[in-house]
Amino acid sequence: MGTPCYKPADSYLLLVQVTASVLVQLLGKCRDAYSLMVLEKTFGKHQDTKLRLSVIESLTNFGALAGDPLIGELDDRDKQLSVRLACLEALGNSGYRPSVPVLSGLLDDAALGVKARSALRKITDADLGQNTIAWQQWWERQLSPARREVHSRP
């Protein structure tokens, strides 16, 4: 038979990683509530970068429903840059308008600012540059008086 390409332990790990990635892709194609829940839990529990990027890609199939877990990832500055950048791209593609305040808060971030601006443009069809205050004022104008109270509460 010859020498195996992988050691048994490596082969097992590779099998687990490939299986997880395939399952994540299938869940993304299902687009049902249960699949979304499983993807959110997977996203929250696993630290493997490749798997997390795969989950983000699958979450994009859920559109705005995937907004909250993606925003949660952006709030954690300890996360890998590649994962946070993928979240910004996914949010932009999702059209998730409640992400505007979070995205505008990232405009001054050297690593994330350009992607945050791109996501804001996709979501809002507006371009206010890298000006955080202008984006926050834009957001306030978009809110009805009733919604303004909800968003201003601590």
Side-chain angles (χ1 to χ4, degrees), residues 61-81:
N61 293 327
F62 289 89
L65 293 175
D68 287 337
L70 295 169
I71 288 173
E73 194 70 15
L74 290 174
D75 288 339
D76 191 343
R77 296 199 180 271
D78 292 332
K79 298 295 181 189
Q80 288 197 332
L81 180 60

Side-chain angles (χ1 to χ4, degrees), residues 28-151:
K29 291 179 181 181
C30 290
R31 296 186 187 132
D32 59 52
Y34 178 76
S35 297
L36 179 60
M37 180 192 68
V38 171
L39 287 170
E40 287 176 348
K41 286 187 178 192
T42 301
F43 196 49
K45 290 184 179 182
H46 293 278
Q47 296 305 314
D48 178 74
T49 301
K50 288 181 184 176
L51 181 60
R52 293 174 70 72
L53 291 171
S54 211
V55 170
I56 293 167
E57 186 177 331
S58 289
L59 284 171
T60 61
N61 293 327
F62 289 89
L65 293 175
D68 287 337
L70 295 169
I71 288 173
E73 194 70 15
L74 290 174
D75 288 339
D76 191 343
R77 296 199 180 271
D78 292 332
K79 298 295 181 189
Q80 288 197 332
L81 180 60
S82 61
V83 172
R84 295 177 78 204
L85 289 170
C87 286
L88 286 170
E89 182 74 26
L91 279 168
N93 293 333
S94 75
Y96 188 58
R97 289 179 75 91
S99 67
V100 168
V102 173
L103 295 172
S104 66
L106 295 172
L107 290 171
D108 294 331
D109 187 296
L112 303 175
V114 172
K115 277 277 194 198
R117 179 180 176 193
S118 175
L120 283 165
R121 281 195 316 252
K122 288 179 183 178
I123 292 168
T124 65
D125 290 326
D127 189 358
L128 304 175
Q130 299 291 117
N131 187 331
T132 302
I133 294 171
W135 279 107
Q136 290 168 346
Q137 290 171 344
W138 180 92
W139 177 246
E140 285 297 318
R141 287 191 305 271
Q142 304 309 305
L143 297 175
S144 67
R147 290 184 65 198
R148 246 184 231 129
E149 287 180 29
V150 172
H151 284 278

